[in-house]
């Protein structure tokens, strides 16, 4: 079984952090053409540049559902954290979403298309269900809302509340443990979604163009998102787990800091490099890969000394309305041992 990170009496599943980092990579690849306004100076938007086809089949609409789903799971983690502290969970979650909305407002100064504000509003909307409804009700309502969002609005932001509810419900059903182990449910889900992916991709192919703006593209993205999550879970129980953790876990443990940081980096680089006159996706992808590599290294160094990413630490203190130590307990122990030897 894969290791878990102990935070007090809580369990932090490394597979969840790895999934979050994996989704973060995909989201940056999705956002990077819009962030740099690729091709805008030539009278075309980023959907009109050359070389976007691999993104449309492998990335677009695939990773945002994963990130939204995992955000919903985090609501359940906060509820459990409040109960361990013998505190009411609703003030913590309300403060968490209010703080997230404020962070989103600041983020919109460098990236107007950011989604943190929508996440905050959706979280507040589904909060009563997460707090007071049984997990089976959360699960069923989440399914209904997701299906309705894809049927009526073609997915997108309309699916955010439903995906959050699904994440919260499956978090309550201990999805982290299932993804971490040889779960038959994960294997069956992977097999079924892989079969469904074939007609979904054929449907997407019948509606060419940016899949973010078509129902077939959004549905194919949702199915492929399930394939990605369950496929990574199946790889997690193989020797590939070590590589997966190395690539994605540091990014996932600091996902909010890295998400915001990528936008800031791109904002300043765009003041020096004119992407608006470029018509191929290559330079933007190279920038995204460079950012992700840099953030992976920086996250490793940061987490060697600190328990949380810088934004995560501030967000956590606002959530619980109390000071929280940033220094890792292991670092304090190391400092103490070093002092004792002097």
């Amino acid at each position: 079984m894969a290791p878990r990170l102990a935070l007090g009496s809580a369990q932090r599943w490394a597979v969840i952090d790895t999934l979050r980092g994996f989704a973060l990579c995909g989201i940056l690849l999705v956002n990077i053409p819009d962030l740099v306004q690729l091709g805008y100076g030539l009278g075309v938007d980023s959907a009109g540049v050359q070389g976007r086809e691999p993104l449309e089949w492998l990335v677009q609409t695939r990773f945002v559902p994963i990130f939204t789903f995992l955000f919903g799971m985090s609501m359940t983690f906060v509820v459990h954290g409040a109960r361990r502290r013998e505190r009411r969970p609703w003030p913590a979650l309300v403060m968490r979403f209010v703080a997230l909305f404020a962070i989103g407002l600041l983020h919109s100064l460098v990236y107007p298309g950011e989604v943190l504000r929508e996440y905050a509003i959706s979280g507040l909307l589904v909060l009563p269900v997460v707090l007071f409804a049984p997990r089976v009700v959360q699960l069923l309502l989440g399914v209904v809302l997701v299906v309705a969002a894809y049927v009526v609005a073609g997915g997108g932001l309309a699916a955010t509340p439903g995906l959050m509810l699904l994440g919260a419900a499956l978090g309550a059903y201990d999805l982290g443990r299932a993804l971490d182990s040889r779960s038959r449910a994960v294997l069956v889900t992977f097999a079924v979604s892989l079969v469904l992916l074939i007609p979904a991709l054929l449907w997407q192919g019948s509606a060419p163009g940016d899949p973010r703006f078509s129902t077939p593209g959004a549905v194919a993205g949702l199915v492929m998102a399930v394939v990605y999550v369950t496929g990574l879970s199946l790889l997690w129980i193989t020797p590939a787990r070590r590589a997966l953790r190395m690539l994605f876990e540091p990014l996932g443990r600091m996902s909010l800091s890295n998400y915001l940081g990528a936008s800031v980096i791109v904002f300043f680089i765009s003041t020096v490099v004119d992407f608006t006159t470029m018509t191929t996706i290559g330079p933007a992808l190279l920038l995204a890969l460079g950012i992700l590599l840099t953030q992976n290294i920086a996250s490793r160094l940061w987490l060697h000394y600190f328990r949380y990413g810088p934004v995560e630490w501030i967000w956590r203190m606002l959530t619980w309305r109390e000071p929280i130590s940033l220094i890792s307990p292991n670092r304090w122990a190391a400092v103490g041992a070093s002092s004792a030897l002097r």
Side-chain angles (χ1 to χ4, degrees):
M1 181 175 292
R4 291 161 287 180
L5 302 177
L7 297 177
S9 60
Q11 291 178 348
R12 181 168 190 141
W13 295 98
V15 67
I16 298 298
D17 285 324
T18 301
L19 269 172
R20 191 177 291 112
F22 177 63
L24 185 71
C25 292
I27 288 173
L28 181 57
L29 293 176
V30 169
N31 289 346
I32 194 73
D34 296 332
L35 279 166
V36 301
Q37 298 186 342
L38 191 64
Y40 284 21
L42 300 175
V44 297
D45 61 17
S46 59
V49 301
Q50 298 176 2
R52 285 186 58 92
E53 290 78 9
L55 291 184
E56 293 174 353
W57 290 101
L58 298 173
V59 180
Q60 297 280 21
T61 71
R62 276 64 172 164
F63 287 92
V64 172
I66 300 175
F67 206 74
T68 307
F69 176 86
L70 293 175
F71 188 87
M73 283 190 70
S74 71
M75 296 178 67
T76 298
F77 300 154
V78 173
V79 171
H80 291 168
R83 289 171 179 165
R84 285 194 303 273
R85 291 173 167 85
E86 297 183 348
R87 294 167 61 173
R88 294 176 297 175
W90 71 264
L93 281 166
V94 169
M95 284 299 302
R96 182 177 177 84
F97 292 130
V98 170
L100 186 67
F101 188 87
I103 293 171
L105 281 177
L106 292 174
H107 185 218
S108 67
L109 297 176
V110 293
Y111 181 33
E114 73 92 34
V115 298
L116 296 180
R117 292 166 295 176
E118 286 77 8
Y119 275 23
I121 294 171
S122 296
L124 289 171
L125 289 175
V126 303
L127 180 57
V129 181
V130 173
L131 290 178
F132 302 115
R135 59 186 182 179
V136 64
V137 174
Q138 297 176 36
L139 182 62
L140 293 175
L141 183 57
V143 170
V144 169
L145 289 178
V146 168
V147 171
Y150 278 83
V151 170
V152 176
L157 287 176
T160 301
L163 287 169
M164 283 187 180
L165 271 182
L166 284 179
L170 291 176
Y173 277 106
D174 208 3
L175 179 63
R177 187 179 303 277
L179 294 174
D180 184 71
S181 61
R182 298 177 184 271
S183 167
R184 178 175 296 181
V186 172
L187 179 59
V188 170
T189 303
F190 173 76
V192 171
S193 58
L194 196 61
V195 171
L196 292 176
L197 184 60
I198 298 173
L201 290 176
L202 291 173
W203 192 25
Q204 177 179 332
S206 69
D210 194 327
R212 290 176 295 178
F213 307 114
S214 72
T215 299
V219 171
L222 182 63
V223 176
M224 189 173 282
V226 178
V227 172
Y228 282 158
V229 170
T230 52
L232 188 146
S233 173
L234 295 176
L235 288 174
W236 190 254
I237 57 175
T238 72
R241 177 179 64 207
R242 183 175 180 180
L244 291 171
R245 292 193 67 179
M246 179 181 67
L247 289 172
F248 303 119
E249 186 185 10
L251 295 171
R253 288 184 62 189
M254 292 177 50
S255 58
L256 184 55
S257 295
N258 286 324
Y259 172 68
L260 300 172
S263 298
V264 174
I265 293 171
V266 171
F267 177 80
F268 284 107
I269 289 179
S270 296
T271 64
V272 179
V273 180
D274 185 11
F275 289 91
T276 65
T277 59
M278 300 179 185
T279 58
T280 61
I281 196 74
L285 292 183
L286 287 175
L287 174 59
L289 292 175
I291 290 172
L292 291 172
L293 177 61
T294 301
Q295 289 186 329
N296 183 292
I297 296 171
S299 296
R300 287 177 174 277
L301 291 173
W302 180 274
L303 292 170
H304 182 71
Y305 295 98
F306 304 110
R307 300 172 68 187
Y308 315 108
V311 182
E312 285 80 2
W313 175 56
I314 295 170
W315 194 24
R316 184 175 289 265
M317 288 194 293
L318 292 172
T319 296
W320 298 110
R321 293 160 292 148
E322 64 185 22
I324 294 176
S325 174
L326 180 60
I327 305 297
S328 168
N330 294 332
R331 296 303 301 174
W332 281 121
V335 171
S338 176
S339 299
L341 292 174
R342 293 176 182 172

